[in-house]
Amino acid sequence: MLNEITRAAGENELVVLRTRGHDLDHGTAVPLYFLQRNGWQGRVIALGYSFLSNEDHVRFGKCIRQSIEKIGRPVAFIASGDLSHRLRLNAPAGYNPNAHLFDEEVLDAIRNCSTSRIVDIDQEMRRMAGECGYRSMLVAIGVAQGGIQNCKVISYEAPFGVGYLVAQLVGSADGPSAPAGLVAQPDIPALARRAVEAFATTGKIIDTPTDVSDLLSVRAGCFVSIKTREGELRGCIGTIDPVKETLAEEIILNAISSATSDPRFSPVGANELPDLKYSVDVLSPPEACAAGDLDPKLFGVIVEDESGARRGLLLPNLPSIDTAGKQIEMASRKAGIPPAASLRLFRFRADRYSE
C-alpha cells in the first residue's frame, strides 16, 4: 500500500517522504490507542499532512483512493484532528466569539453529505477558529470523493473550548460507479429525535420509515438516552430483549418512553425540545458470563437474582464506572438486589450512536 501511495503521488507531482526512527506523535498515538482499545489487530499506515495548498491535500487523498482501488482490499481511513480551539474564554488558543461558526459549518456540511462545502470553506473563518484538523479532513474527503453514500455526525462536544467531532463518511464498494438507488442509512439518533418531537408537539407516533438499512431492519434491543445541551440526563429507557419486529420500531418506542415514562423525570415538554440531544445504544444479545469476563469500558452488564425476579442493567463506558465490581454493584442497586445475594451475570456489547 505504501509503495502504491508513493507511486500514485509521484504521478501527481506530490512527494511522499517516509520517516524512520521517530516516536509516534500525539496525532497518531491517540487514534491508535482507541483502535487497539476496541480490538483492532489489523495493519495500520500512519500518514501526516503538510503545509501545501488545500487542493494538494484533496489531491493526495485521491492518490490514496487510487492506491486502495489498485490493491483491492477494504480500507478505513481515519482523519484525526480538532476543530476550533477558541470556543470558550479559557480555551487553549484564546477566545473568539465567532469561532463556533467554523464548527457549525463543518457539522452542517457533513450532516447534508455536502463535503465540497468543507473544501470551499471561508479560509478566514478557518484561521479565526484556530483549528488543527482541517487538512486531515481534506485528505479524507479526497479519499472518499465520488463514492460517498452516507454521511453521519456521530458526536460533537466542546467541553474545554476545543471542538471534538466524530463523524463518518461511508463509501460504496464500487466507488463513483456505484449503481443508483442505494439507500443511505438514516441517522439513528435523528430517528429518536423525530419520534420525541412529533409526540411532544402533536401526541402522535411517527410512522416507521420503510427505506431503511439492514441495521434498522434487524430485531434488536436498544436504549434511548435524552440529555440537555449541558449534559444533564433527561430520560433513559430501553429494552434488553426486543419487543418490536425491527430496530427502527424499537427506537421509536423507547424514544417516546424515555421522554414520557422515565419515573425519575416529568414528561418532556415541547418548550424543551430545542435544548435536547439524543443517543441510542443498540444492544447485542446478552451472554452468560462471570465477573472476570467483564470490562465496563467494552461490555454492559445484566444482573439477576437467583429467581430471575429482579433484573438490573448498566450500559458500558459510563463515567466513574471503571471496574467490574462497581459495575455489578450499581446494576444490583438499580434492581433492588441485596448486596449479599447470589447473582447471575450476563454481558453485552452496545454500539452507541450520538448526536
Side-chain angles (χ1 to χ4, degrees):
M1 179 67 77
L2 277 171
N3 289 337
E4 284 299 325
I5 291 173
T6 302
R7 182 195 58 77
E11 290 178 354
N12 285 270
E13 300 180 342
L14 296 170
V15 178
V16 175
L17 299 177
R18 301 194 191 186
T19 58
R20 301 181 185 276
H22 296 279
D23 291 336
L24 295 177
D25 67 0
H26 185 75
T28 304
V30 171
L32 283 176
Y33 168 82
F34 285 106
L35 280 171
Q36 293 184 334
R37 185 74 175 77
N38 287 277
W40 177 257
Q41 299 295 323
R43 295 191 174 190
V44 174
I45 292 174
L47 299 168
Y49 54 73
S50 70
F51 290 99
L52 296 176
S53 69
N54 296 340
E55 293 76 14
D56 284 337
H57 284 86
V58 175
R59 199 152 53 92
F60 181 53
K62 292 179 179 179
C63 294
I64 297 171
R65 184 185 183 91
Q66 292 172 17
S67 306
I68 293 168
E69 291 172 345
K70 183 160 185 178
I71 294 294
R73 297 175 63 181
V75 172
F77 185 93
I78 298 173
S80 174
D82 300 329
L83 298 185
S84 175
H85 283 59
R86 296 170 176 164
L87 296 172
R88 292 192 175 188
L89 292 175
N90 59 350
Y95 174 64
N96 188 303
N98 295 317
H100 65 95
L101 297 174
F102 173 78
D103 291 26
E104 290 169 4
E105 175 65 10
V106 171
L107 284 163
D108 193 60
I110 294 175
R111 286 191 176 113
N112 288 283
C113 225
S114 180
T115 52
S116 61
R117 286 169 51 188
I118 297 175
V119 177
D120 298 331
I121 204 166
D122 184 287
Q123 294 302 299
E124 183 55 39
M125 180 167 64
R126 177 185 68 79
R127 284 186 284 271
M128 175 186 66
E131 54 73 36
C132 72
Y134 181 66
R135 290 178 177 85
S136 289
M137 287 191 288
L138 292 180
V139 179
I141 290 168
V143 173
Q145 208 166 54
I148 300 173
Q149 296 296 324
N150 181 26
C151 302
K152 180 195 302 181
V153 171
I154 297 172
S155 67
Y156 173 81
E157 58 182 345
F160 309 114
V162 178
Y164 301 132
L165 164 68
V166 182
Q168 183 170 270
L169 310 180
V170 180
S172 70
D174 298 324
S177 59
L182 290 176
V183 178
Q185 177 180 309
D187 189 348
I188 286 177
L191 180 59
R193 172 183 288 278
R194 283 202 296 120
V196 171
E197 292 182 348
F199 194 84
T201 55
T202 69
K204 296 180 180 180
I205 300 174
I206 63 172
D207 294 331
T208 305
T210 55
D211 57 339
V212 297
S213 66
D214 291 343
L215 176 58
L216 286 174
S217 300
V218 302
R219 199 163 184 263
C222 71
F223 275 71
V224 176
S225 300
I226 306 173
K227 292 184 178 180
T228 66
R229 294 290 175 187
E230 290 72 37
E232 297 294 327
L233 186 65
R234 190 61 183 82
C236 179
I237 283 182
T239 44
I240 301 171
D241 301 310
V243 299
K244 296 291 187 179
E245 292 303 313
T246 67
L247 176 59
E249 295 174 275
E250 204 82 22
I251 290 171
I252 293 170
L253 168 72
N254 290 333
I256 294 173
S257 296
S258 295
T260 62
S261 302
D262 189 325
R264 298 168 292 180
F265 306 99
S266 59
V268 168
N271 62 311
E272 299 178 72
L273 296 175
D275 190 45
L276 300 179
K277 56 183 182 179
Y278 301 78
S279 65
V280 179
D281 288 270
V282 181
L283 276 53
S284 68
E287 58 181 10
C289 69
D293 299 323
L294 292 172
D295 180 341
K297 293 297 182 184
L298 294 179
F299 297 103
V301 68
I302 300 167
V303 300
E304 289 183 355
D305 61 11
E306 287 190 315
S307 68
R310 295 177 182 268
R311 196 182 200 195
L313 176 144
L314 212 63
L315 293 170
N317 199 24
L318 297 177
S320 77
I321 305 296
D322 53 4
T323 67
K326 287 183 181 179
Q327 193 180 35
I328 294 169
E329 178 188 357
M330 180 64 72
S332 299
R333 193 186 309 165
K334 288 178 66 177
I337 300 174
S342 297
L343 298 174
R344 290 199 294 256
L345 301 177
F346 303 84
R347 71 179 187 178
F348 62 89
R349 290 185 180 271
D351 292 323
R352 182 164 298 161
Y353 301 86
S354 304
E355 288 187 324

